[in-house]
Amino acid sequence: MRTLTALLPLTAALALSACVAPVGPVEVTRFHAPDTTRIGRGTIRVEPAQGQADSLEFRTYAAAVARELTRIGYTEPLPGQSGSAQVALLTLERNTYQPQRERGPVSVGVGGGTGGYGSGVGLGIGFDLSGKPKEQVETRVFVSIRERAAPPTATALWEGRAAFVVRGDSPLAQAPLGSAKVAEALFKGFPGQSGETIQVK
């Protein structure tokens, strides 16, 4: 009885982990100017890129990006300050799609046999009872760090993009957890090797 009691917490933990949808790695690509001394320092503000809606969901991801920028050495402007030395232009894309089943729910197989008792042709029918594939949610984040005073056509000091896909029932499909995960992956090892694509688990 004592052994069974000791196993109960472990069994509960395993059952809980089985309910959490699997999470794939975050794919990250970064580019930066040869001179990296101007990034990772000074004041910076996260703002919507051109064409980006300033929604509640966007603000959740912007806050996660701002936290990572602070972690790598930037500072946010003081309350009341309107400008900053640099700006991080953020674009957020969220797409939901339904994967297609690779094969039909019913499969028919024909088997043949020769010689011996009971030889002949058999017909087998198989049913796929797994149900339709789970809905998938794809999240893509693009960040471009620029000097605020630079002209719009100037080359960015640093650019990065990150993307990951999870099932629709995963906690990471929700903005609070998903934003933290993708922002952490995007700025891991900042500034990163320019042009390299990595997988961050």
Side-chain angles (χ1 to χ4, degrees):
M1 181 65 69
R2 184 175 301 171
T3 304
L4 178 60
T5 303
L7 288 176
L8 285 177
L10 176 60
T11 304
L14 290 175
L16 181 61
S17 64
C19 296
V20 179
V23 179
V26 181
E27 184 176 275
V28 176
T29 305
R30 281 83 64 94
F31 299 92
H32 58 75
D35 181 11
T36 60
T37 59
R38 291 182 293 168
I39 55 177
R41 62 178 65 185
T43 57
I44 194 168
R45 190 187 297 276
V46 181
E47 298 179 1
Q50 186 175 5
Q52 172 68 57
D54 188 12
S55 63
L56 179 61
E57 185 178 54
F58 170 83
R59 293 176 188 176
T60 301
Y61 280 82
V65 170
R67 286 194 298 271
E68 288 299 313
L69 289 171
T70 301
R71 182 186 62 78
I72 62 177
Y74 280 106
T75 57
E76 294 187 78
L78 296 174
Q81 284 187 308
S82 59
S84 59
Q86 295 179 9
V87 58
L89 299 176
L90 172 61
T91 300
L92 170 66
E93 295 181 1
R94 300 260 288 163
N95 301 300
T96 301
Y97 61 93
Q98 182 69 53
Q100 299 298 314
R101 188 190 298 273
E102 294 182 358
R103 61 180 183 178
V106 180
S107 60
V108 179
V110 178
T114 59
Y117 179 77
S119 62
V121 177
L123 182 66
I125 301 178
F127 295 90
D128 184 356
L129 303 178
S130 61
K132 67 178 183 180
K134 296 291 185 180
E135 185 179 74
Q136 304 289 303
V137 177
E138 179 186 38
T139 301
R140 293 180 177 272
V141 167
F142 304 84
V143 175
S144 177
I145 297 178
R146 299 172 176 270
E147 299 280 7
R148 186 175 290 278
T153 56
T155 303
L157 301 176
W158 183 93
E159 289 185 336
R161 59 176 181 260
F164 73 103
V165 179
V166 294
R167 276 178 15 186
D169 58 357
S170 168
L172 288 168
Q174 305 303 315
L177 288 180
S179 61
K181 178 180 176 65
V182 75
E184 180 182 2
L186 182 60
F187 292 98
K188 185 174 183 179
F190 182 87
Q193 184 172 336
S194 187
E196 180 184 42
T197 298
I198 61 175
Q199 304 285 332
V200 181
K201 295 184 179 180

